[in-house]
């Protein structure tokens, strides 16, 4: 195990994304209410974020709450928002010590006021930091982001700030909720094998790894196992070049 933890990634990996799945099932297996799975899920975020930073990964995206998750029971939603607020109160000093920048993807306007205010505070406090970036995808849907991005571009064209003929992939990317490098690796926990409307534009050439481990049990050892799998992938980006 010690040898595994000494692993150092050599392949380029600027942006890693996680679908943090299996929290409810983790709790059910232990005879606990589902919401305690979300509580545990929030408690491990910083340790995984730090482990990614140790590997030289610059951006970590986390699928915290989707546009479809509003269909869940209201008490579960309220608990999840509680835990998110607690996370920022608890981890702000740790994130500050890492010089970590917090950004958000998703439409935050639908969040309850206390959660919205905490998110804005985290965004404001960290906006000038130069360290690793934590992108929290909250009230997020990939299709919704693409639609909202298109509307932003249309508005800029109508206002004369942008010429329609100048819109290309790079311009579109720069108008997404959080303009970040494309995702290199997406990991989904819990054994499910789908992307569930997550970062549809940003995942264009990402490698996918699906692990059976539930997110609350996902640790540095499992992260390194996934990074080793990624290291062995041959990323051709549509061409024939190895690497």
């Amino acid at each position: 195990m010690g040898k595994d933890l000494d692993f150092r990634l050599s392949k380029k990996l600027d942006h890693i994304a996680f679908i943090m799945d299996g929290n409810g099932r983790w709790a059910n297996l232990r005879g606990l209410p589902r919401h305690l799975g979300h509580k545990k899920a929030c408690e491990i975020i910083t340790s995984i974020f730090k482990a990614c930073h140790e590997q030289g990964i610059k951006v970590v995206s986390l699928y915290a709450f989707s546009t479809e998750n509003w269909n869940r029971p209201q008490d579960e939603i309220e608990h999840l928002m509680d835990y998110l607020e607690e996370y920022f109160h608890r981890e702000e000093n740790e994130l500050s010590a890492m010089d970590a920048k917090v950004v958000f993807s998703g439409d935050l306007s639908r969040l309850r006021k206390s959660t919205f205010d905490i998110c804005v505070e985290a965004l404001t406090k960290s906006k000038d930091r130069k360290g690793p970036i934590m992108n929290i995808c909250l009230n997020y849907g990939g299709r919704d982001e693409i639609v909202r991005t298109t509307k932003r571009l249309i508005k800029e064209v109508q206002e004369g700030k942008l010429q329609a003929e100048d819109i290309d992939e790079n311009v579109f990317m720069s108008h997404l909720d959080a303009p970040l490098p494309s995702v290199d690796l997406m990991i989904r926990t819990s054994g499910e094998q789908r992307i569930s409307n997550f970062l549809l534009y940003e995942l264009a050439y990402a490698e996918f790894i699906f692990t059976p481990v539930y997110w609350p049990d996902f640790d540095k050892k499992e992260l390194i196992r996934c990074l080793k799998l990624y290291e062995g992938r041959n990323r051709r980006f549509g061409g024939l070049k190895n690497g």
Side-chain angles (χ1 to χ4, degrees):
M1 181 174 171
K3 217 171 185 183
D4 288 341
L5 296 182
D6 289 338
F7 170 82
R8 285 295 175 266
L9 187 66
S10 61
K11 188 186 287 287
K12 176 183 175 294
L13 203 177
D14 290 333
H15 187 171
I16 189 169
F18 293 97
I19 298 180
M20 305 180 291
D21 199 15
N23 304 330
R25 279 166 282 171
W26 180 91
N28 288 340
L29 279 174
R30 289 158 178 78
L32 301 171
R34 280 178 55 85
H35 68 84
L36 291 183
H38 298 306
K39 179 177 172 60
K40 178 66 174 177
C42 288
E43 289 172 357
I44 71 163
I45 285 174
T46 301
S47 64
I48 297 301
F49 183 62
K50 289 176 74 172
C52 289
H53 179 49
E54 289 168 4
Q55 294 291 336
I57 300 169
K58 298 171 186 173
V59 183
V60 177
S61 286
L62 302 158
Y63 206 2
F65 190 85
S66 77
T67 49
E68 291 73 35
N69 286 155
W70 294 108
N71 296 320
R72 295 192 175 190
Q74 187 60 34
D75 65 329
E76 183 174 338
I77 293 171
E78 293 298 324
H79 279 302
L80 205 151
M81 296 302 164
D82 288 343
Y83 299 142
L84 182 66
E85 292 178 26
E86 288 172 13
Y87 175 80
F88 284 118
H89 285 305
R90 184 179 66 245
E91 303 294 337
E92 166 54 26
N93 288 342
E94 190 72 32
L95 294 174
S96 177
M98 294 175 67
D99 203 30
K101 183 175 183 177
V102 177
V103 299
F104 293 90
S105 291
D107 180 6
L108 303 186
S109 66
R110 190 176 171 184
L111 302 179
R112 68 187 191 190
K113 187 177 186 306
S114 59
T115 307
F116 177 84
D117 289 345
I118 288 287
C119 292
V120 171
E121 183 181 355
L123 199 64
T124 304
K125 280 183 176 179
S126 69
K127 66 183 175 65
D128 296 321
R129 295 177 188 165
K130 306 301 181 187
I133 297 172
M134 178 185 289
N135 176 37
I136 299 177
C137 301
L138 189 58
N139 190 26
Y140 178 85
R143 289 179 175 179
D144 182 59
E145 181 183 35
I146 290 169
V147 169
R148 287 185 291 101
T149 299
T150 302
K151 288 179 178 178
R152 281 194 282 266
L153 289 165
I154 290 171
K155 187 171 186 289
E156 289 199 13
V157 170
Q158 290 174 336
E159 293 174 349
K161 297 176 182 176
L162 183 67
Q163 298 298 312
E165 57 269 25
D166 292 333
I167 298 173
D168 58 14
E169 290 183 16
N170 290 330
V171 170
F172 194 92
M173 197 89 168
S174 71
H175 284 71
L176 293 171
D177 292 343
L180 298 166
S182 294
V183 177
D184 296 301
L185 171 62
M186 191 282 291
I187 298 173
R188 180 172 187 149
T189 58
S190 89
E192 303 290 350
Q193 298 188 23
R194 56 184 179 274
I195 59 174
S196 298
N197 199 19
F198 182 48
L199 299 176
L200 298 180
Y201 196 85
E202 298 89 329
L203 287 175
Y205 274 102
E207 296 293 322
F208 293 175
I209 292 175
F210 301 101
T211 171
V213 175
Y214 293 145
W215 176 257
D217 286 330
F218 193 87
D219 57 12
K220 187 174 181 178
K221 183 180 179 183
E222 182 62 15
L223 172 67
I224 288 174
R225 188 189 74 82
C226 292
L227 294 181
K228 285 181 175 180
L229 290 173
Y230 171 79
E231 188 112 280
R233 300 282 178 89
N234 185 5
R235 303 189 74 201
R236 296 186 298 275
F237 299 96
L240 298 176
K241 181 180 176 181
N242 292 332

